[in-house]
Amino acid sequence: MTYLNSYFTKTPEKERSSAAIAFFAALDHLYSTAPSVATAIVQELQDQRAFLKMIASENYCSLAVQLAMGNLLTDKYAEGIPGHRFYAGCENVDAIETEAIELLKEIFHVEHAYVQPHSGADANLVAFWACLVKRVQTKEIERLGKKTLDELTPAEYEGVRQLLVNQKILAMSLNSGGHLTHGYRHNISSKMMQAFHYDVDPITGLLDYKSIAKQAQEIRPAILLAGYSAYPRRINFAIMKEIAASVGATFMVDMAHFAGLVAGHVFQGEYNPVPYADIITATTHKTMRGPRGGIVLCTNEYKEFVDKGCPLALGGPLPHVMAAKCVAFREATHPDFAKYAHQVVENARILSEALMQQGVKLVTNGTENHLLIIDVTPFHLTGRHVETALRQAHITCSRNAIPFDKNGPWYTSGVRLGTAALTTLGMGPTQMKAIADMIVAILKATTAAPTANGSSSKSLCSVAPDVLETVQHKVQELLVQFPLYPEIA
Ligand code: DSN
């Protein structure tokens, strides 16, 4: 008997799958060393099995990915790139990293890939600096008649440094769905560059390419960035590239959210950034369905700069995570992955339509990707209220600002929902319609709590108990039909 038997009693020990046996053995061992950690991991599994995961940036990776991530590869230092390391004994890491790079080249049809970033934010830092080094530092060294950075005098180096931090970036505003790392004042990206932002159209909520082109002409940025974490539509990368080219900017795309939709051939033609972008960043744990981490893809022109991500902006790579990325990339080459990616978008569309049919207002009136944003203001609620109410109903999502949000980024007036994780569980149109009904029921049954001075609290709320109980019950029924990691029981 293991301590886990108190949690998992469904399958007799003798009938368990090899995955379950491996899981139980590993956690049993962990429990003997760090019971609190083992308990929290098991509790996380229990929680994830009890809630509908609708956070648009999350997913469930396979047990194979998880196994690749939790092992002795973490003990290895591997600064450098395959075949060119600063430590001895990197042969196995070389093999893994090379395979991961080759798989990305095959999946995205890119000239070069870099798989070391630890997160999307790290990938963006690597990409920003690679662009700046290429555009500014390299040219300045040449102008000074020197060959490398080390040959510069302290005064010359200071001159280069001043130039580097005075470049301009033009990106989507946080207010319109952009990301913190795209020049938000509280992020390092706004301190290393002068950041300018474009907004969506206040009426339609859509990108206005003419206005972006006008801004680009005025600002003349070094980097034009396209990408989002809360924009429910596709981006026309052909137009964005044209804008970048017209002002001589490097065209960068952050496809953290939709990398899996590009890999799965949902976003094609002008909606696929690869033929247009100079440099692309992504995370591996969202629609790509891999481990938590980042990647950079680029043309050969940027290769030598991107490959110096460590020591440019990163510490030592995480070989265990690169191994897990490699497994996920292998999974993404399978035809099933393309089916999955198409279903993610179809599920989001069906969910959107079912919500709108019941009078729910969505930012941009729908979706073309894996996410949708409900404007909750007609319900006299904040995003924070709805996030809390849905969580009580066992639906996990994140509150999100709507464009030009009067409630600011903390309370917000919206919630963002995504379909990537539920689609991994196997859910389809029937379930999306049922979930839309549950969400509408909660929206209608939630009221903001009154404060002492008679106004409404922006965070506290209450949900009618009978509705809450009914929805909780429906969520449970649904999750029983679509279990998470059925191999572990
Ligand atoms: N935090 C991620 C998201 O939720 O979109 C982006 O980094």
Side-chain angles (χ1 to χ4, degrees), residues 50 81 103 134 136-137 158 203 213 224 247 297 302-303 345 374 408 422 456 468 471 473 482:
I81 51 173
L103 282 166
K134 180 182 181 309
V136 180
Q137 180 178 297
E158 180 54 18
I203 311 288
L224 177 68
V247 294
L297 311 175
Y302 286 80
K303 180 178 190 303
V345 174
I374 301 181
L422 298 185
S456 294
L468 195 58
V471 174
H473 186 68
F482 296 90

Side-chain angles (χ1 to χ4, degrees), residues 319-382:
H320 54 304
V321 180
M322 291 198 289
K325 286 174 179 171
C326 190
V327 175
F329 301 157
R330 169 86 44 219
E331 289 172 353
T333 61
H334 198 278
D336 280 353
F337 188 84
K339 279 194 212 146
Y340 161 73
H342 280 86
Q343 192 60 53
V344 167
V345 174
E346 181 62 0
N347 279 351
R349 188 186 66 76
I350 290 166
L351 179 62
S352 291
E353 277 174 11
L355 286 167
M356 289 191 297
Q357 271 160 18
Q358 300 189 60
V360 174
K361 190 174 165 196
L362 297 186
V363 170
T364 78
N365 291 320
T367 178
E368 291 169 337
N369 56 22
H370 62 298
L371 69 86
L372 47 128
I373 300 162
I374 301 181
D375 176 352
V376 301
T377 44
F379 293 91
H380 307 292
L381 297 168
T382 63

Side-chain angles (χ1 to χ4, degrees), residues 211-442:
S211 138
I212 298 171
K214 190 161 169 275
Q215 256 182 298
Q217 288 298 336
E218 284 159 13
I219 294 160
R220 303 200 76 82
I223 300 174
L224 177 68
L225 175 54
Y228 54 78
S229 64
Y231 181 67
R233 296 283 165 177
R234 295 176 297 182
I235 295 175
N236 188 316
F237 297 110
I239 299 179
M240 291 299 279
K241 170 70 183 180
E242 230 174 87
I243 298 172
S246 73
V247 294
T250 298
F251 181 40
M252 173 171 161
V253 174
D254 177 346
M255 61 170 188
H257 264 263
F258 53 91
L261 307 183
V262 178
H265 314 299
V266 182
F267 286 0
Q268 299 195 39
E270 59 217 0
Y271 303 108
N272 172 5
V274 176
Y276 304 102
D278 299 301
I279 191 159
I280 299 174
T281 56
T283 50
T284 45
H285 50 273
K286 298 186 177 86
T287 48
M288 271 307 277
R289 210 162 59 175
R292 191 160 293 282
I295 52 172
V296 182
L297 311 175
C298 62
T299 57
N300 279 334
E301 222 189 320
Y302 286 80
K303 180 178 190 303
E304 73 165 287
F305 307 98
V306 167
D307 275 353
K308 292 190 181 125
C310 169
L312 182 67
L314 299 180
L318 307 174
H320 54 304
V321 180
M322 291 198 289
K325 286 174 179 171
C326 190
V327 175
F329 301 157
R330 169 86 44 219
E331 289 172 353
T333 61
H334 198 278
D336 280 353
F337 188 84
K339 279 194 212 146
Y340 161 73
H342 280 86
Q343 192 60 53
V344 167
V345 174
E346 181 62 0
N347 279 351
R349 188 186 66 76
I350 290 166
L351 179 62
S352 291
E353 277 174 11
L355 286 167
M356 289 191 297
Q357 271 160 18
Q358 300 189 60
V360 174
K361 190 174 165 196
L362 297 186
V363 170
T364 78
N365 291 320
T367 178
E368 291 169 337
N369 56 22
H370 62 298
L371 69 86
L372 47 128
I373 300 162
I374 301 181
D375 176 352
V376 301
T377 44
F379 293 91
H380 307 292
L381 297 168
T382 63
R384 191 157 157 80
H385 291 135
V386 178
E387 178 192 274
T388 306
L390 286 174
R391 178 71 181 173
Q392 282 174 19
H394 288 199
I395 298 173
T396 311
C397 69
S398 51
R399 64 187 183 279
N400 207 102
I402 58 172
F404 311 99
D405 201 318
K406 291 196 175 69
N407 277 324
W410 179 252
Y411 295 109
T412 81
S413 304
V415 286
R416 188 187 63 169
L417 302 169
T419 52
L422 298 185
T423 309
T424 295
L425 294 184
M427 291 189 193
T430 311
Q431 292 73 39
M432 293 304 120
K433 288 176 194 155
I435 291 168
D437 293 347
M438 293 180 212
I439 292 171
V440 173
I442 293 295

Side-chain angles (χ1 to χ4, degrees), residues 451-467:
T451 60
N453 68 15
S455 63
S456 294
S457 163
K458 285 190 169 189
S459 51
L460 301 176
C461 62
S462 61
V463 190
D466 54 330
V467 177

